[in-house]
Amino acid sequence: MEKTISLKSSDGKTIQVSPAITEMSILIKEILQDSQSSEEIPLLNYEASNISKVVKYCELVEFKSDIPYPKQIKEDSKLEDIIADSNERNFIMGLSEKELQDLVLLANFLNIRRLLELCCVRIAYLYRAKEKNIEKLFGVPIETNEDVELAMKEQYPWAFEIDQERLEKLRAEDELDKGGN
């Protein structure tokens, strides 16, 4: 019988997982290499239900982490085009927004890149439909002036890395919205 790895959750439950998880989780792999012990690994900031979802996902993809997801989602992209594997698509679509948020944090902590990217794709797909209300959703002021925009560009340059064509399209839509009121 294959030896298992024990993961201890914040709610005191222990989840047994195949050692193959080290193929996906860099954190678990490094912990096992450093400690060279079979003791349980504490994941005390995460509930057993979320850890179980991560384990379920790892089993679903057979502990393989070699398929990247696209870095940019186009407006007309369908989820079926972005996430080709129907099992992965069904897994991620079966999560509530709260579960998705919890899974992003845990995938990031465990350093499971493929799951983290899958969660990010789903989040991007969710918020793509809410693009018009994104300012309200994240508490960003709707009206800005050039001084505020310049200050934001200096403080958060990565946030302004958008292709020029898309930027011009957004500005044109904004002008149409203002003219229509």
Side-chain angles (χ1 to χ4, degrees):
M1 187 172 151
E2 185 178 36
K3 188 176 179 182
T4 61
I5 298 169
S6 299
L7 306 175
K8 179 126 178 160
S9 67
S10 63
D11 44 5
K13 296 180 181 165
T14 302
I15 294 117
Q16 302 296 319
V17 64
S18 165
I21 197 167
T22 60
E23 296 301 314
M24 295 192 77
S25 173
I26 295 170
L27 177 75
I28 292 175
K29 183 178 189 173
E30 289 175 352
I31 288 173
L32 292 174
Q33 286 174 345
D34 290 346
S35 70
Q36 295 187 355
S37 131
S38 61
E39 293 179 33
E40 63 188 17
I41 298 171
L43 301 175
L44 301 179
N45 291 329
Y46 304 96
E47 295 177 3
S49 61
N50 294 319
I51 297 169
S52 294
K53 284 180 184 77
V54 168
V55 172
K56 178 181 175 184
Y57 175 78
C58 291
E59 290 170 348
L60 179 75
V61 297
E62 298 173 346
F63 302 99
K64 296 176 186 160
S65 62
D66 56 349
I67 302 171
Y69 296 101
K71 298 290 182 210
Q72 186 176 23
I73 297 175
K74 297 179 179 158
E75 278 186 56
D76 59 347
S77 296
K78 294 181 179 165
L79 203 57
E80 294 81 21
D81 298 332
I82 301 165
I83 305 170
D85 184 278
S86 62
N87 290 327
E88 283 185 284
R89 194 170 50 250
N90 292 338
F91 172 83
I92 202 70
M93 293 301 291
L95 300 174
S96 69
E97 283 190 46
K98 171 72 172 118
E99 291 171 322
L100 188 57
Q101 290 171 356
D102 292 342
L103 213 55
V104 164
L105 295 173
L106 184 53
N108 185 52
F109 178 74
L110 292 174
N111 204 348
I112 301 177
R113 184 177 176 90
R114 182 172 172 165
L115 178 56
L116 180 60
E117 286 181 1
L118 178 65
C119 291
C120 289
V121 163
R122 177 69 177 124
I123 290 168
Y125 196 79
L126 275 172
Y127 290 114
R128 178 185 74 164
K130 299 177 182 181
E131 204 171 300
K132 294 275 184 198
N133 298 321
I134 207 83
E135 296 94 353
K136 291 178 187 173
L137 188 67
F138 291 106
V140 175
I142 295 171
E143 295 296 323
T144 62
N145 59 39
E146 287 184 31
D147 293 336
V148 171
E149 190 173 325
L150 286 173
M152 290 178 79
K153 283 181 179 180
E154 286 179 22
Q155 191 170 5
Y156 308 105
W158 53 267
F160 292 88
E161 292 174 3
I162 184 170
D163 64 88
Q164 204 59 34
E165 184 179 313
R166 176 120 168 98
L167 182 60
E168 289 171 13
K169 180 181 173 187
L170 291 172
R171 284 186 176 150
E173 287 175 4
D174 190 43
E175 289 300 316
L176 287 175
D177 289 344
K178 286 181 184 177
N181 290 5

